[in-house]
Amino acid sequence: MNLVEQWIRPEVRAINAYHVADASGLVKLDAMENPYTWPEVLREEWTRLIRDADVNRYPDPHARQLTQQLRSVMQIPESAGVLLGNGSDEIIQMLALALGGEGRTLLSVEPGFAMYRMIAAFSGLNYVGVELKTADFSLDMEALLEAIDEHQPALLFLAYPNNPTGNLFAVSDVERIIAASPGLVVIDEAYAPFTDASFISRIGEFDNMVVMRTLSKMGLAGLRLGLLAGPEEWLSEIDKTRLPYNINVLTQLSASFALSHISVFEQQTAQIREARSQLYKELREMAGITPFQSEANFILVRTAEGEALSIFEGLKQHGILIKNLHGGHPLLNDCLRITVGTEVENRALVKALKMLLPGTIFQAET
Ligand SMILES: *Cc1c(COP(=O)(O)O)cnc(C)c1O
């Protein structure tokens, strides 16, 4: 297929397509989803709403009602602008379109969220990934400030908490990065439902900081809805790269309905936070595995050298799918990422791990 080679841009051909593992029949602890579904009464009410949706009409292009609810639920400052995306992935793409261009740089940290690098690559931005510190995945300020100075990034992404490491960065470090950055700094708060830390109330304090959120990790991954909040001057320009009607009728209706029952989701995410502490404690007691503290709905663990793949495969044999991160980045050698599930799922995981990690059964039961 010479035509393909001739015409598909080399930077696109060089990318490995985003891989999503087949989870059929498995307990899904690989993708940071909320494991709980909706109570039956909500489902009834929701389906009645959907039944009356007019899908022959285009959706509200500005999703006004939904935006209003999001502002209120997420306590977005009155003066801030808000823009919605078909998942926050789409917002990363809008940002790349609005701030990208020949010779411009997108900077982030490694290991970090894979989409920053991918979207930079296919939108023609130069990507610079600065390594986190080996010991605790904190920001390497010296390296970062040097890279900012050298590359003058148009865009700088920090996931707060970070994926796949689960930690928060020091607030004072993030503030220094915002101050040192010539371009726009995006604080990606995808895991906001699982931490008390946030920069959302500080929108407007800096002239180059915006905050990105998503409803995916809270429990609406299937609806695809993310948002960007920040100074109106930035938002109104970035909004020009948004395709009209990007938030469809069913998503607007369903997300709006869900947000009017936000307590259901708050209860679920609180339960996940509880389960996270419990799971962390149990993982810490196992020999041959070291969990890292997490402020998100997943826990990163390091196995003994060379054991990640066999534990990953072993768990699959037990019907549990997690994420093997070994090979993705040198700092993630022997690492696995486990999404926190329901109490029942977590118990199954712990039980299977104990069988796979020789020596722990006796230790754990004394
Ligand atoms: C999951 C995730 C996203 C993407 O969320 P969607 O809204 O589902 O596209 C963005 N950033 C980080 C850090 C994530 O982990």
Side-chain angles (χ1 to χ4, degrees):
M1 288 291 274
N2 282 337
L3 274 180
V4 174
E5 283 177 28
Q6 183 185 349
W7 290 107
I8 296 291
R9 288 160 49 212
E11 49 280 39
V12 173
R13 281 195 289 130
I15 295 170
N16 292 318
Y18 189 75
H19 175 69
V20 179
D22 179 17
S24 340
L26 299 172
V27 173
K28 233 177 147 302
L29 301 181
D30 66 322
M32 283 80 88
E33 291 145 329
N34 173 340
Y36 301 106
T37 55
W38 296 8
E40 197 51 38
V41 274
L42 277 198
R43 280 178 183 264
E44 284 291 330
E45 209 182 317
W46 174 50
T47 32
R48 260 179 277 130
L49 252 183
I50 296 296
R51 192 192 54 195
D52 294 333
D54 289 325
V55 290
N56 57 318
R57 302 292 179 196
Y58 281 108
D60 174 355
H62 302 293
R64 275 161 303 195
Q65 190 194 330
L66 177 57
T67 304
Q68 221 30 62
Q69 285 175 286
L70 286 164
R71 279 182 174 278
S72 150
V73 165
M74 296 189 180
Q75 298 174 23
I76 296 168
E78 197 87 29
S79 61
V82 170
L83 154 171
L84 305 190
N86 192 332
S88 44
D89 288 345
E90 192 192 35
I91 296 175
I92 303 170
Q93 194 175 41
M94 285 183 222
L95 286 161
L97 279 173
L99 287 97
E102 191 62 31
R104 294 197 178 192
T105 294
L106 184 158
L107 191 146
S108 192
V109 294
E110 299 274 335
F113 184 48
M115 292 310 291
Y116 307 147
R117 177 197 280 272
M118 278 189 75
I119 289 173
F122 61 64
S123 61
L125 274 151
N126 171 38
Y127 176 83
V128 174
V130 178
E131 267 196 16
L132 296 171
K133 287 198 173 160
T134 315
D136 59 358
F137 302 120
S138 62
L139 296 172
D140 183 340
M141 289 306 288
E142 203 178 317
L144 260 167
L145 294 173
E146 207 177 286
I148 290 169
D149 189 46
E150 182 187 343
H151 299 283
Q152 298 287 303
L155 270 169
L156 193 156
F157 281 89
L158 286 179
Y160 182 83
N162 190 40
N163 172 12
T165 55
N167 58 311
L168 287 166
F169 301 125
V171 172
S172 57
D173 284 350
V174 178
E175 289 168 342
R176 275 175 75 199
I177 288 169
I178 297 169
S181 293
L184 187 63
V185 177
V186 183
I187 308 295
D188 180 352
E189 297 189 348
Y191 297 97
F194 310 101
T195 181
D196 297 328
S198 172
F199 276 81
I200 216 151
S201 68
R202 303 186 65 182
I203 290 172
E205 189 181 320
F206 315 95
D207 64 4
N208 63 336
M209 185 209 71
V210 292
V211 175
M212 192 165 71
R213 290 274 185 101
T214 175
L215 296 190
S216 295
K217 313 293 156 55
M218 177 190 97
L220 301 176
L223 291 181
R224 312 303 300 127
L225 187 69
L227 75 81
L228 188 71
E232 182 57 43
E233 297 93 315
W234 281 107
L235 273 280
S236 55
E237 291 300 325
I238 297 160
D239 192 55
K240 295 177 187 170
T241 66
R242 188 174 59 83
L243 294 176
Y245 314 118
N246 64 328
I247 312 300
N248 73 69
V249 168
L250 296 181
T251 294
Q252 287 194 34
L253 256 179
S254 308
S256 178
F257 173 74
L259 290 172
S260 65
H261 294 90
I262 190 67
S263 61
V264 171
F265 296 91
E266 285 169 348
Q267 207 182 326
Q268 292 177 347
T269 52
Q271 208 171 337
I272 294 166
R273 283 170 75 155
E274 277 284 317
R276 173 183 69 198
S277 327
Q278 180 61 32
L279 181 58
Y280 176 78
K281 257 189 266 163
E282 293 185 82
L283 293 171
R284 248 181 53 155
E285 283 165 14
M286 292 184 195
I289 210 168
T290 311
F292 293 87
Q293 287 275 11
S294 170
E295 287 282 314
N297 63 341
F298 59 84
I299 296 176
L300 181 76
V301 302
R302 178 161 279 135
T303 68
E305 202 179 326
E307 294 298 316
L309 182 62
S310 68
I311 293 171
F312 170 80
E313 291 293 350
L315 285 174
K316 221 164 161 183
Q317 300 278 305
H318 284 86
I320 299 167
L321 182 67
I322 61 166
K323 178 92 173 170
N324 180 11
L325 298 173
H326 181 81
H329 188 278
L331 288 191
L332 297 175
N333 276 348
D334 308 308
C335 282
L336 302 167
R337 188 187 62 199
I338 303 168
T339 303
V340 179
T342 63
E343 279 86 354
V344 172
E345 290 171 341
N346 300 338
R347 234 178 291 135
L349 169 87
V350 167
K351 192 170 158 211
L353 271 177
K354 283 180 180 170
M355 286 195 257
L356 293 165
L357 295 166
T360 36
I361 287 184
F362 312 103
Q363 191 196 341
E365 287 181 354
T366 49

